[in-house]
Amino acid sequence: MSNEATPSVQPAAAAAGNIASYIDHTLLKPEASEADVLKVCAEAAEYGFKSVCVNPVWVKTVKKALKGSGVLTCSVVGFPLGATPTDVKTFEARGAVLDGADEVDMVINIAAARADDKGALTEDIASVAEAVHASGAILKVIIETALLSDDQKVLACEAAVAAGADFVKTSTGFNGGGATAEDVALMRRAVGPALGVKASGGVRSLADAQAMIAAGATRIGASSGIAIVKGEQGSSAY
């Protein structure tokens, strides 16, 4: 497990001037162009965001664009539905890290969570974790809170812990709902202090981000990162 889970900035100090270090600057729209991706990379380097999070097809582009910037490259796996066989998710994750991803955000088998099948969840996550960790990368596990009951959210978090994940993450931003402070707090209680908690989906303002951090988030996924840092209101759904 990586020590990346907990940033050096403490939640009480999460003001506009340093909140950038919490943010995964995100572009996951399927229609995004290379120019769009390069623009996001330039913004991340300028503002000092933690990472740029993109679909796997753009990992090589992002890695090259961010070279020397200190900003990490993040990719998604089994995105956005999670309804992909484990071996396919594992293959996709291995490819992403070989292409240069420092971090991978995978979507769980949501049906397994809704069926209270902790064993299936753990096996799915553990296989991807093994592939990601073999290259020294970080695994974040998206549990898609909008589709789960509180008990199912806890079950998914417990499976992520058992499987050796580094983070749990609220949402894809593509399946309805998004991050809430209540869900972040629930997830923090479920995983304890060792894992990171990433709030994503609908975090559009500095106040939103600060509320998530106060609830226990150690990372924020947002396409409104610039608005957040500037203390403005973003309009993106993610």
Side-chain angles (χ1 to χ4, degrees), residues 1-235:
M1 188 180 301
S2 168
N3 58 12
E4 286 289 334
T6 305
S8 58
V9 181
Q10 296 301 310
N18 56 33
I19 205 165
S21 65
Y22 283 83
I23 295 173
D24 289 344
H25 198 36
T26 302
L27 180 60
L28 293 168
K29 293 179 180 179
E31 72 273 20
S33 67
E34 182 176 17
D36 295 331
V37 171
L38 292 174
K39 180 175 182 288
V40 165
C41 290
E43 292 168 350
E46 178 182 355
Y47 286 92
F49 294 129
K50 184 67 175 182
S51 82
V52 168
C53 188
V54 292
N55 284 301
V57 70
W58 296 116
V59 169
K60 287 183 179 179
T61 300
V62 170
K63 189 71 171 183
K64 181 178 179 181
L66 293 176
K67 185 176 181 180
S69 69
V71 179
L72 301 176
T73 299
C74 178
S75 185
V76 291
V77 163
F79 193 90
L81 301 178
T84 307
T86 297
D87 58 348
V88 177
K89 289 182 186 178
T90 304
F91 179 84
E92 188 177 16
R94 188 176 295 115
V97 294
L98 287 173
D99 283 347
D102 303 295
E103 301 186 340
V104 169
D105 292 16
M106 71 167 286
V107 186
I108 64 165
N109 181 336
I110 296 165
R114 289 171 65 96
D116 300 322
D117 191 343
K118 185 177 179 180
L121 286 172
T122 303
E123 289 175 11
D124 188 49
I125 299 165
S127 181
V128 177
E130 183 179 0
V132 170
H133 292 157
S135 295
I138 298 300
L139 179 64
K140 309 191 201 89
V141 175
I142 306 170
I143 70 169
E144 202 65 285
T145 51
L147 301 181
L148 303 180
S149 69
D150 282 356
D151 286 346
Q152 291 161 353
K153 293 167 195 174
V154 171
L155 182 78
C157 287
E158 290 174 347
V161 172
D166 303 290
F167 276 77
V168 288
K169 174 179 171 181
T170 59
S171 321
T172 63
F174 284 75
N175 288 319
T180 67
E182 291 77 15
D183 279 340
V184 169
L186 177 68
M187 293 164 68
R188 170 53 67 203
R189 291 194 298 271
V191 302
L195 266 68
V197 175
K198 179 175 173 180
S200 62
V203 183
R204 303 186 186 94
S205 69
L206 177 60
D208 290 341
Q210 288 173 325
M212 299 303 168
I213 292 166
T218 50
R219 193 78 67 89
I220 303 293
S223 55
S224 298
I226 294 174
I228 291 170
V229 170
K230 290 184 174 181
E232 299 171 354
Q233 180 71 39
S235 58

